[in-house]
Amino acid sequence: MTASPPALLPAPVPPARHLLRARDLADTRYTEPISVDDMARAAGLSRAHFSAEFRRTFGETPHAYLLTRRLERAASLLRATEYSVAAICMEVGWASVGSFTTSFRRCFGVTPTGYRASFPPAKDLARIPGCVLQAYGRPQNRTFREDDAAAPARPSGQFRQPKEDTR
Amino acid sequence: MIRFSSTQLWVHDQAEALDFYTKKLGWEVTSDITIAEMGNFRWLAVAPAGQPDVAVVLMAIPPAPVMDAATAEQVRDLMGKGYAGTLFLTTEDCVAEVERLKTRGVEFIDEPEERPYGIDAGFHDPSGNHLRLAQLRQF
């Protein structure tokens, strides 16, 4: 990481900025198998000193921060996608489904599968607007007899609804 | 009051785009739904971490009859030339982000440069969509 040109960053770096760098690492690279050691390294502090400083600054341990960051992403993916639990587990940086499920249940009180089942299907939550549903949902059969006739008028409203917005 | 919600980009390959926006740019999936009864239409949306109320929908160029073949070819052509659209992004540290993105294999078309409004760099996604990354000067 190189420093930015001085014209834009004239002030000295406040101490907490180093800790924020560690938290940024958890926020941006939680999908990779990073650990608290990596966070301490990003802050440029020893592991023990780092954990204490992080907790004093942000109110929770770096381990708890990284863990809840991953769990929040997992919960979001369970709600908003149709990815398998195993895929989501890997996606948010866990190596084994077993320990992921254990952590998830400890945090949310239900298994990942149970959590997903407690929400409407992801398909129903997706903000797919009506115009898209209509365009893609049109029957693809192009052999209607009226194709041969001179441009028949479509019943109004059947193919286009002017004020469709499902958001 | 009208607020900005999400925008859409054409992509030539959704899997490749997903990989780019999540693994390289570091964004998150906010929606990924495939609807079998609509010809496996896939609604795929991504957003920057920490901005869950906005999204970019990564849309595959649809087959006929949703889009006729000639138009699809035109869209693909414009996209490949970099004229299909631009996303304007901001960051606190342009130079550092550019370095980070380069280590992940993102190729920059414009290195970070001083502008009256701050520092600005530019790159393309795999489909050719143009992305700007600016560190805005505080006035």
Side-chain angles (χ1 to χ4, degrees), chain A residues 1-5 7-9 17 24 27-32 69 73 76-77 80-83 91 122-123 126-129 132-133 135-140 142 167, chain B residues 5-6 10 18 22-23 26 28-35 37-38 41-44 49 53 59-60 62 64-66 92-93 95-96 99-100 104 114 118-119 135 137:
Chain A
M1 301 286 165
T2 46
S4 298
L8 286 168
L9 281 179
R17 183 69 185 85
D24 287 348
D27 280 338
T28 56
R29 295 184 47 193
Y30 63 90
T31 60
E32 300 166 32
R69 169 80 177 134
R73 289 321 306 159
S76 172
L77 290 172
T81 73
E82 293 159 329
Y83 300 169
E91 184 72 30
K123 196 186 285 188
R127 296 181 179 182
I128 309 176
V132 171
L133 294 175
Y136 286 81
R138 273 195 305 159
Q140 313 260 317
R142 310 301 284 166
R167 282 173 214 181
Chain B
S5 166
S6 47
W10 295 119
L18 177 62
T22 58
K23 300 285 190 284
E28 293 169 351
V29 176
T30 59
S31 190
D32 191 351
I33 305 299
T34 300
I35 303 177
E37 58 270 32
M38 281 170 40
F41 169 72
R42 184 178 182 188
W43 179 261
L44 174 63
D53 59 337
M59 194 84 90
V66 179
E92 292 170 341
D93 191 338
V95 173
E99 288 307 312
R100 190 177 67 86
R104 295 182 177 189
E114 292 261 10
I119 302 176
Q135 175 182 345
R137 186 188 291 277

Coordinates of all heavy atoms in Angstrom, one line a residue, chain A residues 1-5 7-9 17 24 27-32 69 73 76-77 80-83 91 122-123 126-129 132-133 135-140 142 167, chain B residues 5-6 10 18 22-23 26 28-35 37-38 41-44 49 53 59-60 62 64-66 92-93 95-96 99-100 104 114 118-119 135 137:
Chain A
M1 N 0.8 -1.2 0.0 CA 0.0 0.0 0.0 C 0.9 1.2 0.0 O 1.6 1.5 0.9 CB -0.9 0.0 1.3 CG -1.8 -1.2 1.4 SD -3.1 -1.1 0.2 CE -3.7 -2.8 0.3
T2 N 0.8 2.0 -1.0 CA 1.6 3.3 -1.0 C 0.7 4.4 -0.5 O -0.5 4.4 -0.5 CB 2.0 3.6 -2.5 OG1 0.9 3.5 -3.3 CG2 3.1 2.7 -2.9
A3 N 1.4 5.4 0.0 CA 0.7 6.6 0.6 C 0.1 7.4 -0.6 O 0.6 7.4 -1.7 CB 1.7 7.4 1.4
S4 N -1.0 8.1 -0.2 CA -1.6 9.0 -1.2 C -0.8 10.3 -1.3 O 0.0 10.6 -0.4 CB -3.0 9.3 -0.8 OG -3.7 8.2 -0.7
P5 N -0.9 11.0 -2.4 CA -0.2 12.2 -2.6 C -0.5 13.2 -1.4 O -1.7 13.2 -1.0 CB -0.8 12.8 -3.9 CG -1.2 11.6 -4.6 CD -1.6 10.6 -3.6
A7 N -1.0 16.2 -1.0 CA -1.9 17.3 -1.2 C -3.3 16.9 -0.7 O -4.0 17.8 -0.2 CB -2.0 17.6 -2.7
L8 N -3.6 15.6 -0.7 CA -5.0 15.2 -0.3 C -5.0 14.7 1.1 O -6.1 14.6 1.7 CB -5.5 14.2 -1.3 CG -5.9 14.8 -2.7 CD1 -6.2 13.7 -3.6 CD2 -7.2 15.6 -2.5
L9 N -3.9 14.3 1.6 CA -3.9 13.7 3.0 C -2.9 14.4 3.8 O -1.8 13.9 4.2 CB -3.7 12.2 3.0 CG -4.8 11.3 2.6 CD1 -4.3 9.8 2.6 CD2 -6.0 11.5 3.6
R17 N -6.7 4.7 13.3 CA -6.7 4.4 11.8 C -6.1 3.1 11.6 O -6.6 2.3 10.7 CB -5.9 5.5 11.1 CG -5.9 5.3 9.6 CD -7.3 5.6 9.0 NE -7.4 5.3 7.6 CZ -7.6 4.2 7.1 NH1 -7.8 3.1 7.9 NH2 -7.8 4.0 5.8
D24 N -11.2 -3.1 8.4 CA -11.4 -3.1 7.0 C -11.0 -4.4 6.3 O -11.7 -4.9 5.4 CB -10.6 -2.0 6.3 CG -11.2 -0.6 6.5 OD1 -12.3 -0.5 7.1 OD2 -10.5 0.4 6.2
D27 N -13.7 -6.7 6.9 CA -14.9 -6.3 6.1 C -14.7 -6.7 4.7 O -15.7 -7.1 4.0 CB -15.1 -4.8 6.2 CG -15.9 -4.5 7.5 OD1 -16.5 -5.4 8.1 OD2 -15.8 -3.3 7.9
T28 N -13.5 -6.6 4.1 CA -13.3 -6.8 2.7 C -12.8 -8.2 2.3 O -13.0 -8.6 1.2 CB -12.4 -5.7 2.1 OG1 -11.1 -5.8 2.8 CG2 -12.9 -4.3 2.2
R29 N -12.2 -8.8 3.3 CA -11.6 -10.1 2.9 C -12.1 -11.3 3.7 O -11.4 -12.3 3.9 CB -10.1 -10.0 2.9 CG -9.6 -9.0 1.8 CD -8.2 -8.9 1.6 NE -7.4 -10.1 1.6 CZ -6.1 -10.2 1.7 NH1 -5.4 -9.1 1.8 NH2 -5.5 -11.3 1.6
Y30 N -13.3 -11.1 4.3 CA -13.8 -12.2 5.1 C -14.1 -13.5 4.4 O -14.2 -14.6 4.9 CB -15.1 -11.7 5.8 CG -16.2 -11.4 4.7 CD1 -17.1 -12.4 4.3 CD2 -16.3 -10.2 4.1 CE1 -18.0 -12.1 3.3 CE2 -17.2 -9.9 3.1 CZ -18.1 -10.9 2.7 OH -19.0 -10.7 1.8
T31 N -14.1 -13.3 3.0 CA -14.4 -14.5 2.2 C -13.1 -15.4 2.1 O -13.2 -16.6 1.8 CB -14.8 -14.2 0.7 OG1 -13.7 -13.4 0.1 CG2 -16.0 -13.3 0.7
E32 N -12.0 -14.8 2.4 CA -10.8 -15.6 2.4 C -10.5 -16.1 3.8 O -11.0 -15.6 4.8 CB -9.6 -14.7 2.0 CG -9.8 -14.1 0.6 CD -8.9 -13.0 0.2 OE1 -7.8 -13.0 0.7 OE2 -9.3 -12.1 -0.5
R69 N -19.2 -10.8 11.2 CA -19.2 -10.3 9.8 C -19.5 -11.5 8.9 O -20.3 -11.4 8.0 CB -17.8 -9.8 9.5 CG -17.5 -9.5 8.1 CD -18.1 -8.2 7.7 NE -17.8 -7.8 6.3 CZ -18.7 -7.4 5.4 NH1 -20.0 -7.2 5.8 NH2 -18.4 -7.1 4.2
R73 N -23.1 -12.2 6.6 CA -23.1 -12.4 5.2 C -23.7 -13.7 4.9 O -24.5 -13.8 3.9 CB -21.6 -12.4 4.6 CG -21.0 -11.0 4.6 CD -21.9 -9.9 4.2 NE -22.6 -10.2 2.9 CZ -23.7 -9.6 2.6 NH1 -24.3 -8.7 3.3 NH2 -24.2 -9.9 1.4
S76 N -27.4 -13.3 5.1 CA -27.9 -12.6 4.0 C -28.0 -13.4 2.7 O -29.0 -13.4 2.0 CB -27.0 -11.4 3.7 OG -27.4 -10.7 2.5
L77 N -27.0 -14.2 2.5 CA -27.0 -15.1 1.3 C -28.1 -16.2 1.4 O -28.7 -16.6 0.4 CB -25.6 -15.8 1.1 CG -24.5 -14.8 0.7 CD1 -23.2 -15.5 0.7 CD2 -24.8 -14.2 -0.7
A80 N -31.2 -14.3 0.4 CA -31.3 -13.6 -0.9 C -30.9 -14.4 -2.1 O -31.0 -14.0 -3.2 CB -30.5 -12.3 -0.8
T81 N -30.4 -15.6 -1.8 CA -29.9 -16.5 -2.9 C -30.5 -17.9 -2.8 O -31.0 -18.2 -1.7 CB -28.4 -16.5 -3.0 OG1 -27.9 -17.4 -2.0 CG2 -27.8 -15.2 -3.0
E82 N -30.2 -18.7 -3.8 CA -30.6 -20.1 -3.7 C -29.3 -21.0 -3.6 O -29.4 -22.2 -3.8 CB -31.4 -20.5 -4.9 CG -32.8 -19.8 -5.0 CD -33.4 -19.8 -6.3 OE1 -32.6 -19.7 -7.3 OE2 -34.6 -19.8 -6.4
Y83 N -28.2 -20.4 -3.2 CA -27.0 -21.1 -3.0 C -27.2 -22.2 -1.9 O -27.9 -22.0 -1.0 CB -25.8 -20.2 -2.6 CG -25.5 -19.1 -3.5 CD1 -24.6 -18.1 -3.1 CD2 -26.0 -19.0 -4.8 CE1 -24.3 -17.0 -4.0 CE2 -25.7 -18.0 -5.7 CZ -24.8 -17.0 -5.2 OH -24.5 -16.0 -6.1
E91 N -18.3 -19.6 0.8 CA -18.3 -18.3 0.3 C -17.9 -17.3 1.4 O -17.4 -16.2 1.1 CB -19.7 -18.0 -0.2 CG -20.0 -16.7 -0.8 CD -19.3 -16.5 -2.2 OE1 -19.2 -17.6 -2.9 OE2 -18.9 -15.4 -2.5
A122 N -36.3 -16.9 -1.5 CA -35.5 -15.8 -2.1 C -36.1 -15.2 -3.3 O -36.0 -14.0 -3.6 CB -34.1 -16.3 -2.4
K123 N -36.7 -16.1 -4.1 CA -37.4 -15.7 -5.4 C -38.4 -14.6 -5.1 O -38.6 -13.7 -5.9 CB -38.0 -16.9 -6.0 CG -38.4 -16.8 -7.5 CD -39.2 -18.0 -7.9 CE -38.3 -19.2 -8.2 NZ -39.0 -20.3 -8.8
A126 N -36.7 -11.2 -4.2 CA -35.9 -10.5 -5.2 C -36.7 -9.3 -5.8 O -37.9 -9.5 -6.1 CB -35.4 -11.5 -6.3
R127 N -36.0 -8.2 -6.0 CA -36.7 -7.0 -6.6 C -36.7 -7.0 -8.1 O -36.2 -6.2 -8.7 CB -36.0 -5.8 -6.1 CG -36.1 -5.6 -4.6 CD -35.3 -4.3 -4.3 NE -35.3 -3.9 -2.9 CZ -34.8 -2.8 -2.5 NH1 -34.2 -2.0 -3.3 NH2 -34.7 -2.6 -1.2
I128 N -37.3 -8.1 -8.6 CA -37.4 -8.2 -10.1 C -38.6 -7.4 -10.5 O -39.7 -7.7 -10.2 CB -37.5 -9.6 -10.6 CG1 -36.4 -10.5 -9.9 CG2 -37.4 -9.7 -12.1 CD1 -36.5 -11.9 -10.2
P129 N -38.4 -6.3 -11.3 CA -39.6 -5.5 -11.6 C -40.5 -6.1 -12.6 O -40.1 -7.1 -13.3 CB -38.9 -4.2 -12.2 CG -37.6 -4.6 -12.6 CD -37.2 -5.8 -11.8
V132 N -39.5 -6.7 -16.3 CA -38.6 -7.8 -16.6 C -39.4 -9.1 -16.6 O -39.3 -9.9 -17.5 CB -37.5 -7.9 -15.6 CG1 -36.7 -9.1 -15.7 CG2 -36.6 -6.6 -15.7
L133 N -40.3 -9.3 -15.6 CA -41.1 -10.5 -15.5 C -41.9 -10.6 -16.8 O -42.1 -11.7 -17.3 CB -42.0 -10.5 -14.3 CG -41.2 -10.5 -12.9 CD1 -42.2 -10.3 -11.8 CD2 -40.5 -11.8 -12.8
A135 N -41.3 -9.3 -19.8 CA -40.5 -9.5 -21.0 C -40.1 -11.0 -21.1 O -40.1 -11.6 -22.1 CB -39.3 -8.6 -21.0
Y136 N -39.6 -11.5 -19.9 CA -39.0 -12.8 -19.9 C -40.1 -13.9 -19.8 O -39.8 -15.1 -20.1 CB -37.9 -13.0 -18.8 CG -36.7 -12.3 -19.1 CD1 -36.5 -10.9 -18.9 CD2 -35.6 -12.9 -19.6 CE1 -35.4 -10.2 -19.2 CE2 -34.4 -12.3 -19.9 CZ -34.3 -10.9 -19.7 OH -33.1 -10.3 -20.0
G137 N -41.2 -13.5 -19.3 CA -42.2 -14.5 -19.0 C -43.2 -14.7 -20.2 O -44.0 -15.6 -20.2
R138 N -43.0 -13.9 -21.2 CA -43.8 -14.1 -22.4 C -43.7 -15.5 -23.0 O -42.6 -16.0 -23.1 CB -43.5 -13.1 -23.5 CG -44.2 -11.8 -23.3 CD -44.1 -11.0 -24.6 NE -42.8 -10.8 -25.0 CZ -42.4 -10.5 -26.3 NH1 -43.3 -10.3 -27.2 NH2 -41.2 -10.3 -26.6
P139 N -44.8 -16.1 -23.4 CA -44.7 -17.4 -24.0 C -43.8 -17.3 -25.2 O -43.8 -16.4 -26.0 CB -46.1 -17.7 -24.4 CG -47.0 -16.8 -23.7 CD -46.2 -15.6 -23.3
Q140 N -42.9 -18.3 -25.4 CA -41.9 -18.3 -26.4 C -42.4 -18.9 -27.7 O -41.7 -19.0 -28.7 CB -40.6 -19.0 -26.0 CG -40.2 -18.6 -24.6 CD -39.1 -17.5 -24.6 OE1 -38.2 -17.7 -25.4 NE2 -39.2 -16.5 -23.7
R142 N -43.8 -19.2 -31.1 CA -44.0 -18.1 -32.1 C -44.8 -18.7 -33.3 O -44.7 -18.1 -34.4 CB -42.6 -17.7 -32.7 CG -41.7 -17.3 -31.6 CD -42.2 -16.1 -30.7 NE -42.2 -14.9 -31.4 CZ -42.8 -13.8 -30.9 NH1 -43.7 -13.9 -29.9 NH2 -42.7 -12.6 -31.6
R167 N -41.4 -3.1 -6.5 CA -40.6 -2.8 -5.3 C -41.4 -2.3 -4.1 O -42.3 -1.5 -4.3 CB -39.6 -1.7 -5.7 CG -38.5 -2.3 -6.5 CD -37.6 -1.2 -7.0 NE -37.1 -1.6 -8.3 CZ -36.2 -0.9 -9.0 NH1 -35.8 0.2 -8.6 NH2 -35.9 -1.4 -10.2
Chain B
S5 N -31.9 3.7 -6.2 CA -32.0 2.3 -5.7 C -31.0 1.4 -6.4 O -30.0 1.0 -5.8 CB -33.4 1.7 -5.9 OG -33.4 0.3 -5.8
S6 N -31.1 1.1 -7.7 CA -30.2 0.2 -8.3 C -30.1 0.5 -9.8 O -31.0 1.2 -10.3 CB -30.5 -1.2 -8.1 OG -31.9 -1.4 -8.3
W10 N -25.3 -4.6 -18.7 CA -25.3 -5.8 -19.5 C -23.9 -6.4 -19.2 O -22.9 -5.8 -19.1 CB -25.4 -5.5 -21.0 CG -26.7 -4.9 -21.4 CD1 -26.9 -3.7 -21.9 CD2 -28.0 -5.5 -21.3 NE1 -28.2 -3.5 -22.2 CE2 -28.9 -4.6 -21.8 CE3 -28.5 -6.7 -20.8 CZ2 -30.3 -4.8 -21.9 CZ3 -29.8 -7.0 -20.9 CH2 -30.7 -6.1 -21.4
L18 N -19.9 -12.1 -12.0 CA -20.1 -12.4 -10.5 C -18.7 -12.5 -9.9 O -18.4 -11.9 -8.8 CB -20.9 -13.6 -10.3 CG -21.1 -14.1 -8.8 CD1 -21.8 -13.0 -8.1 CD2 -21.9 -15.4 -8.8
T22 N -17.4 -9.7 -7.1 CA -17.2 -10.2 -5.8 C -15.8 -10.5 -5.4 O -15.2 -9.9 -4.5 CB -18.1 -11.4 -5.5 OG1 -17.7 -12.5 -6.4 CG2 -19.6 -11.1 -5.6
K23 N -15.1 -11.3 -6.2 CA -13.7 -11.7 -5.8 C -12.7 -10.6 -6.1 O -11.7 -10.5 -5.3 CB -13.4 -13.0 -6.6 CG -14.3 -14.2 -6.3 CD -14.0 -14.8 -5.0 CE -14.8 -16.1 -4.8 NZ -16.2 -15.9 -4.5
G26 N -14.5 -7.0 -4.6 CA -14.8 -7.2 -3.2 C -16.3 -6.8 -2.8 O -16.6 -6.6 -1.7
E28 N -20.6 -7.6 -2.7 CA -21.3 -8.7 -2.1 C -22.6 -9.0 -3.0 O -23.1 -8.0 -3.6 CB -21.8 -8.3 -0.7 CG -20.6 -8.2 0.2 CD -20.9 -7.6 1.6 OE1 -22.1 -7.1 1.7 OE2 -20.1 -7.7 2.5
V29 N -23.0 -10.2 -3.0 CA -24.2 -10.6 -3.7 C -25.4 -10.1 -2.9 O -25.5 -10.5 -1.7 CB -24.3 -12.1 -3.9 CG1 -25.5 -12.5 -4.6 CG2 -23.1 -12.6 -4.7
T30 N -26.3 -9.4 -3.5 CA -27.5 -9.0 -2.8 C -28.7 -9.8 -3.3 O -29.7 -9.9 -2.6 CB -27.8 -7.5 -2.9 OG1 -28.0 -7.2 -4.3 CG2 -26.7 -6.7 -2.3
S31 N -28.6 -10.4 -4.4 CA -29.7 -11.2 -4.9 C -29.1 -12.1 -6.0 O -28.3 -11.7 -6.9 CB -30.8 -10.3 -5.5 OG -31.9 -11.1 -5.8
D32 N -29.5 -13.4 -6.0 CA -29.1 -14.3 -7.1 C -30.2 -15.4 -7.2 O -30.2 -16.4 -6.5 CB -27.7 -15.0 -6.8 CG -27.2 -15.7 -8.0 OD1 -27.9 -15.9 -9.0 OD2 -26.0 -16.2 -8.0
I33 N -31.1 -15.1 -8.1 CA -32.2 -16.0 -8.3 C -32.3 -16.4 -9.7 O -32.2 -15.6 -10.6 CB -33.5 -15.2 -8.0 CG1 -33.4 -14.5 -6.6 CG2 -34.8 -16.1 -8.1 CD1 -33.3 -15.5 -5.5
T34 N -32.6 -17.7 -9.9 CA -32.8 -18.2 -11.3 C -34.2 -18.8 -11.4 O -34.7 -19.5 -10.5 CB -31.8 -19.4 -11.6 OG1 -30.5 -18.8 -11.5 CG2 -32.0 -19.9 -13.0
I35 N -34.9 -18.3 -12.4 CA -36.3 -18.7 -12.5 C -36.5 -19.6 -13.7 O -36.5 -19.2 -14.8 CB -37.2 -17.4 -12.6 CG1 -37.0 -16.5 -11.4 CG2 -38.7 -17.8 -12.7 CD1 -37.8 -15.2 -11.5
E37 N -39.1 -21.3 -14.8 CA -40.2 -21.1 -15.7 C -40.1 -19.9 -16.6 O -41.0 -19.7 -17.4 CB -41.5 -21.1 -14.9 CG -41.6 -20.0 -13.8 CD -41.1 -20.4 -12.5 OE1 -40.1 -21.2 -12.4 OE2 -41.6 -19.9 -11.5
M38 N -39.1 -19.1 -16.4 CA -38.8 -18.0 -17.3 C -37.5 -18.2 -18.1 O -36.7 -17.3 -18.2 CB -38.8 -16.7 -16.6 CG -40.2 -16.2 -16.2 SD -40.2 -14.8 -15.1 CE -38.9 -13.8 -15.6
F41 N -34.1 -17.5 -16.4 CA -33.7 -16.1 -16.3 C -33.1 -15.9 -14.9 O -33.6 -16.4 -13.9 CB -35.0 -15.2 -16.3 CG -34.7 -13.8 -15.9 CD1 -33.9 -12.9 -16.7 CD2 -35.2 -13.3 -14.7 CE1 -33.7 -11.6 -16.3 CE2 -34.9 -12.0 -14.3 CZ -34.2 -11.2 -15.1
R42 N -31.9 -15.3 -14.9 CA -31.2 -15.1 -13.6 C -31.1 -13.7 -13.2 O -30.5 -12.9 -14.0 CB -29.7 -15.7 -13.8 CG -28.9 -15.7 -12.5 CD -27.6 -16.3 -12.8 NE -26.8 -16.4 -11.6 CZ -25.5 -16.8 -11.6 NH1 -24.9 -17.1 -12.7 NH2 -24.8 -16.8 -10.4
W43 N -31.7 -13.4 -12.1 CA -31.6 -12.0 -11.5 C -30.5 -12.0 -10.5 O -30.5 -12.6 -9.5 CB -32.9 -11.7 -10.8 CG -33.0 -10.4 -10.1 CD1 -32.8 -10.1 -8.8 CD2 -33.3 -9.1 -10.8 NE1 -33.0 -8.8 -8.6 CE2 -33.3 -8.1 -9.8 CE3 -33.6 -8.7 -12.1 CZ2 -33.6 -6.8 -10.0 CZ3 -33.9 -7.4 -12.3 CH2 -33.9 -6.4 -11.3
L44 N -29.4 -11.3 -10.9 CA -28.2 -11.3 -10.2 C -27.8 -9.9 -9.8 O -27.6 -9.0 -10.7 CB -27.1 -12.0 -11.0 CG -25.6 -11.9 -10.5 CD1 -25.5 -12.7 -9.2 CD2 -24.7 -12.5 -11.5
A49 N -19.8 -3.6 -0.2 CA -20.0 -3.9 1.2 C -20.4 -2.6 2.0 O -19.8 -1.6 1.8 CB -18.7 -4.5 1.8
D53 N -28.4 -0.8 0.5 CA -29.6 -0.2 -0.1 C -29.4 0.2 -1.6 O -30.3 0.7 -2.2 CB -30.1 1.0 0.7 CG -29.0 2.1 0.8 OD1 -27.8 1.7 0.6 OD2 -29.3 3.3 1.0
M59 N -26.9 -8.1 -15.7 CA -28.0 -8.7 -16.6 C -27.3 -9.3 -17.8 O -26.6 -8.7 -18.6 CB -29.0 -7.6 -17.0 CG -30.2 -8.1 -17.6 SD -31.4 -8.6 -16.4 CE -32.3 -7.1 -16.2
A60 N -27.7 -10.6 -18.1 CA -27.2 -11.3 -19.3 C -28.0 -10.7 -20.5 O -29.2 -10.3 -20.3 CB -27.5 -12.8 -19.2
P62 N -30.4 -10.9 -23.2 CA -31.4 -11.9 -23.4 C -31.5 -12.4 -24.8 O -31.2 -11.7 -25.7 CB -32.7 -11.2 -22.9 CG -32.4 -9.8 -23.2 CD -30.9 -9.5 -23.0
A64 N -33.7 -13.9 -28.1 CA -35.0 -13.6 -28.7 C -36.1 -14.5 -28.0 O -35.7 -15.6 -27.6 CB -35.0 -13.9 -30.2
P65 N -37.3 -14.1 -27.8 CA -37.9 -12.8 -28.3 C -37.7 -11.6 -27.4 O -38.2 -10.5 -27.8 CB -39.3 -13.2 -28.5 CG -39.6 -14.1 -27.4 CD -38.3 -14.9 -27.1
V66 N -37.1 -11.8 -26.2 CA -37.0 -10.6 -25.3 C -36.2 -9.5 -26.0 O -36.5 -8.4 -26.0 CB -36.3 -11.0 -24.0 CG1 -36.2 -9.8 -23.1 CG2 -37.1 -12.1 -23.3
E92 N -11.9 6.1 -0.3 CA -11.1 7.0 0.6 C -9.7 7.1 0.2 O -9.0 8.0 0.5 CB -11.2 6.5 2.0 CG -12.5 6.6 2.7 CD -12.6 5.9 4.0 OE1 -11.7 5.1 4.3 OE2 -13.5 6.2 4.8
D93 N -9.2 6.0 -0.5 CA -7.8 6.0 -0.9 C -7.6 5.3 -2.2 O -7.5 4.1 -2.4 CB -7.0 5.2 0.2 CG -5.5 5.3 0.0 OD1 -5.0 5.7 -1.1 OD2 -4.8 5.1 1.0
V95 N -5.2 5.4 -4.6 CA -3.9 4.8 -4.9 C -3.8 3.4 -4.3 O -3.5 2.4 -4.9 CB -2.7 5.6 -4.5 CG1 -1.4 4.9 -4.7 CG2 -2.7 6.9 -5.3
A96 N -4.2 3.3 -3.0 CA -4.1 2.0 -2.3 C -5.1 1.0 -2.9 O -4.8 -0.2 -3.1 CB -4.4 2.2 -0.8
E99 N -3.8 -0.3 -6.2 CA -2.8 -1.3 -6.0 C -3.4 -2.7 -5.6 O -3.0 -3.7 -6.1 CB -1.8 -0.9 -4.9 CG -0.9 0.3 -5.3 CD -0.1 0.0 -6.5 OE1 0.4 -1.1 -6.6 OE2 -0.1 0.8 -7.5
R100 N -4.4 -2.6 -4.7 CA -5.0 -3.8 -4.2 C -5.7 -4.5 -5.4 O -5.7 -5.8 -5.6 CB -6.1 -3.5 -3.2 CG -6.7 -4.7 -2.4 CD -7.6 -4.2 -1.3 NE -8.8 -3.6 -1.9 CZ -9.9 -4.3 -2.3 NH1 -9.9 -5.6 -2.2 NH2 -10.9 -3.6 -2.8
R104 N -5.1 -8.3 -7.7 CA -6.1 -9.3 -8.0 C -6.4 -9.4 -9.5 O -7.3 -10.0 -9.9 CB -7.4 -8.9 -7.3 CG -7.3 -8.9 -5.8 CD -8.6 -8.6 -5.1 NE -8.5 -8.7 -3.7 CZ -9.6 -8.6 -2.9 NH1 -10.8 -8.4 -3.4 NH2 -9.4 -8.7 -1.6
E114 N -4.3 13.0 -10.7 CA -4.9 14.2 -10.0 C -5.8 15.0 -10.9 O -5.5 15.2 -12.0 CB -3.7 15.1 -9.5 CG -2.8 14.6 -8.5 CD -3.2 15.1 -7.1 OE1 -4.2 15.7 -6.9 OE2 -2.4 14.8 -6.1
G118 N -10.2 15.6 -7.3 CA -9.6 14.5 -6.5 C -8.6 13.7 -7.3 O -8.0 14.1 -8.3
I119 N -8.5 12.4 -6.9 CA -7.7 11.5 -7.7 C -8.7 10.4 -8.4 O -9.6 9.9 -7.7 CB -6.7 10.7 -6.8 CG1 -5.9 11.7 -6.0 CG2 -5.9 9.7 -7.6 CD1 -4.9 11.0 -5.0
Q135 N -11.2 9.3 -5.7 CA -11.0 9.7 -4.3 C -11.3 11.2 -4.3 O -10.6 12.0 -4.8 CB -9.6 9.5 -3.8 CG -9.3 10.0 -2.4 CD -7.8 9.8 -2.1 OE1 -7.1 9.0 -2.7 NE2 -7.3 10.5 -1.1
R137 N -11.9 15.0 -3.5 CA -11.4 16.1 -2.6 C -12.5 16.7 -1.7 O -13.6 16.9 -2.2 CB -10.8 17.2 -3.5 CG -10.0 18.2 -2.8 CD -9.6 19.3 -3.8 NE -8.7 18.9 -4.8 CZ -7.3 18.9 -4.6 NH1 -6.9 19.3 -3.4 NH2 -6.5 18.6 -5.5

